[in-house]
């Protein structure tokens, strides 16, 4: 588990803008469990490791305050990948999905929603359920870490598409939220009873899909409950992020996948960017009509981001964890 | 590990045939690793457990010696599911793929080949590679337990479809056979060196598909070597068959599936029976033209079947393990 003393806030002068660059004043940035992976050193070529002494980064939204790029105007709201800072110099080149891009605000949509329901969290939930696991109406899905940024949206998206939803979380307060405002058909606290038992009680006839953000015992319980032909969207393994790879908690019930013809498919949202337009269209529609509850834990100020991040890893936060850098307009 | 004293040979009178039944004199029956699963008690509803005191069963071929069924004539060769015995009374009803069915013999094709290359072993290899894992020409596939009944055919089928094949087995003799007569591009003995190291040496650029009959460390090594978009056909977990489920060796590198967008899909051959005709057409074509080497370990006599079965589980046998019940015609 990271410690607040592992982080330091540094002030640096903003450099002069080169041609094509813009200066953005960040209003919000995102804190995500996957950032923990990037703190574990250089093993993975899929998550660029954070370097000691260099600034952290991550999804952010902000306002253009200076522009040397004819395509961007002062006042534009941009979504970009240079969070964990108050100002960022960006060179939008459209090269990949981390490249800065303008986003619309107005009506129900605030800039911060492009970090949650309309951004990476929402897209991860949507792609995992519908593209990776091919969840269909009338099926039963189990969502773990269901009170978190991705899970809380997965629960609601699945309900809106006509599935039955079973959810797990780590406090009784979260469990109440899940069966209350978030609309899960059943929910349980995975800390109070073996997960397999809770899942069997909630879904005595089994489940069709498991949306996995946890790994380990959660995945084993799901493998036992999945029905023939069931699917697992492997989205994260928060259970293992604070261990070295060698100490990763194993999955022991993969034999179930053979007996029942199960499919387990891992994914990162960026593998499904071709589907981003379809996602935005469907989820904006729901959001603008007030059909979605967007839970948020808001941390004020860069200096409080480390504690907010640590709280998120420890399960203290509800919904999307965001750092607010300025008073809202 | 089973012990020969766990088995007993019993003589019983052959009952009179009811209408629709046939009496078959078995010539060969199959010994398969999955039989070990059926000896572990009643946990699985997918593998009917063997009952203590009742005869074992399994794939067999034999000749009709008496018939009360107008569709079957004395002298017909039948494939059926009542092995581990010299005579069997069968009622062919075509209800599922275990129902007795006539098979062709002649030319290169002996009755016993319907238990190996043209039967369940061959079909498992073929369906796993081409239907489950969607192996394509030019791709690299890793096959474990590659000197066994299924593995030795998977190696050859993959080569015939234009893939590069890396194979693992548990003795230097098997490794030589794999790169020799069976045509693997590379092979290694998993007992002499960590599997991950051997696999990286054999496939420094990674693999596209893993055909898994072992589980545990083999699967972890494959997860590390699989390229983005790679697929795993989960066929068996022989590493775990002699442990209780609770003691199953875990898989710890599933996070690789997230980073690389991997798909793991479990299967039993019976889930792909719609494709059996396509399999028979392609594989008979290869076999009748002498393009396949069918390795066999032949055990003579029912009384020696237990020792042959135990030898197979311990890795002593090469290729398909068969019990011969009569001298060949």
């Amino acid at each position: 588990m990271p410690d607040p003393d592992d982080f330091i806030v540094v002030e640096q002068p903003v450099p002069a803008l080169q041609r094509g660059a813009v200066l953005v004043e960040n209003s919000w940035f995102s804190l995500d469990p996957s950032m923990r992976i990037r703190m574990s050193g250089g093993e993975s070529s899929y998550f660029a490791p954070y370097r000691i002494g260099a600034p952290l980064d991550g999804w952010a939204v902000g306002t253009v305050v200076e522009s040397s790029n004819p395509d961007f105007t002062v006042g534009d709201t941009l979504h970009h990948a240079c969070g964990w800072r108050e100002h960022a110099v960006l060179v939008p080149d459209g090269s990949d999905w981390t490249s800065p891009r303008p986003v619309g605000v107005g009506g129900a949509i605030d800039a911060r929603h492009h970090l949650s329901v309309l951004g990476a969290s929402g897209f991860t939930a949507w792609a995992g359920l519908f593209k990776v696991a091919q969840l269909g109406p009338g099926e039963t899905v189990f969502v773990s870490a269901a009170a978190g940024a991705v899970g809380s949206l997965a629960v609601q998206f699945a309900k809106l598409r006509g599935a039955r939803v079973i959810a797990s979380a780590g406090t009784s307060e979260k469990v109440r939220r899940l069966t209350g405002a978030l609309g899960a058909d059943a929910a349980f606290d995975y800390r109070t009873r073996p997960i397999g038992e809770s899942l069997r009680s909630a879904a005595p006839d089994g489940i069709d899909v498991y949306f996995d953000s946890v790994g380990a015992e959660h995945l084993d319980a799901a493998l036992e409950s999945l029905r023939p032909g069931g699917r697992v969207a492997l989205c994260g393994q928060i259970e293992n992020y604070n261990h070295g790879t060698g100490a990763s908690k194993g999955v022991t019930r993969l034999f179930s996948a053979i007996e029942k013809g199960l499919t387990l498919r891992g994914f990162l949202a960026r593998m499904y960017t071709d589907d981003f337009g379809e996602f935005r269209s469907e989820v904006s529609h729901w959001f603008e009509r007030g059909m979605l509850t967007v839970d948020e834990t808001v941390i004020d100020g860069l200096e409080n981001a480390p504690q907010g991040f640590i709280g998120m890893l420890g399960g203290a936060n509800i919904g999307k964890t965001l750092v607010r850098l300025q008073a809202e307009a």
Side-chain angles (χ1 to χ4, degrees), chain A:
Chain A
M1 187 65 81
D3 186 276
D5 291 341
D6 296 334
F7 298 79
I8 185 170
V9 177
V10 172
E11 289 201 41
Q12 284 191 309
V14 172
L17 295 188
Q18 305 292 316
R19 183 187 300 269
V22 297
L23 176 64
V24 167
E25 187 172 322
N26 283 336
S27 47
W28 300 85
F29 69 88
S30 173
L31 296 179
D32 300 301
S34 63
M35 290 169 169
R36 179 63 188 81
I37 301 167
R38 302 179 62 191
M39 296 175 184
S40 290
E43 271 207 45
S44 166
S45 52
Y46 302 91
F47 292 91
Y50 289 132
R51 286 182 301 116
I52 290 171
L56 301 170
D57 59 58
W59 298 122
V61 287
T63 306
V64 176
V65 291
E66 194 184 331
S67 177
S68 294
N69 184 315
D71 296 332
F72 294 85
T73 307
V74 170
D76 283 354
T77 302
L78 295 196
H79 177 279
H80 62 89
C82 290
W84 290 92
R85 69 198 76 186
E86 293 177 340
H87 290 81
V89 175
L90 307 171
V91 183
D93 64 0
S95 60
D96 62 31
W97 94 313
T98 68
S99 186
R101 59 181 168 82
V103 289
V105 293
I109 301 179
D110 180 81
R112 72 186 192 280
H113 294 128
H114 294 286
L115 300 175
S116 59
V117 59
L118 303 177
S121 301
F123 185 47
T124 299
W126 183 90
L129 288 174
F130 305 127
K131 297 298 173 181
V132 179
Q134 303 275 330
L135 178 69
E139 291 193 317
T140 297
V141 58
F142 170 41
V143 178
S144 58
V150 173
S152 61
L153 295 169
V155 165
Q156 296 176 81
F157 295 168
K159 284 302 296 175
L160 285 165
R161 286 261 196 121
R164 179 165 186 270
V165 178
I166 294 153
S168 71
T171 68
S172 55
E173 181 198 354
K174 291 178 178 178
V175 167
R176 280 191 301 274
R177 182 105 191 124
L178 283 162
T179 50
L182 300 180
D185 296 281
F188 61 85
D189 180 346
Y190 70 85
R191 295 179 201 250
T192 57
R193 196 176 157 203
I195 300 163
E197 280 182 32
S198 299
L199 186 54
R200 278 193 299 276
S201 298
D205 297 328
I207 61 174
D208 301 291
V209 165
Y210 172 46
F211 189 101
D212 184 30
S213 299
V214 179
E217 294 92 339
H218 269 83
L219 182 49
D220 271 335
L223 287 168
E224 206 181 333
S225 275
L226 279 156
R227 283 198 275 255
R231 291 88 66 203
V232 179
L234 299 168
C235 177
Q237 299 203 328
I238 197 165
E239 187 69 46
N240 288 320
Y241 292 168
N242 286 310
H243 310 284
T245 310
S248 174
K249 292 188 189 176
V251 173
T252 60
R253 293 191 173 276
L254 270 181
F255 192 75
S256 296
I258 299 174
E259 294 179 308
K260 296 186 281 192
L262 307 180
T263 301
L264 294 83
R265 182 168 286 156
F267 77 107
L268 301 172
R270 64 183 182 237
M271 297 166 185
Y272 290 83
T273 49
D274 287 353
D275 300 309
F276 194 77
E278 184 188 347
F279 152 73
R280 280 294 297 279
S281 162
E282 180 168 26
V283 174
S284 311
H285 173 93
W286 288 331
F287 183 58
E288 292 181 316
R289 277 154 194 77
M291 299 161 79
L292 292 169
T293 297
V294 181
D295 280 344
E296 295 168 339
T297 297
V298 174
I299 314 294
D300 269 301
L302 182 58
E303 65 281 11
N304 295 315
Q307 194 57 60
F309 178 68
I310 292 162
M312 178 191 63
L313 291 180
N317 302 355
I318 290 248
K320 179 73 189 179
T321 304
L322 292 169
V323 179
R324 174 165 50 195
L325 291 174
Q326 355 168 306
E328 280 188 83

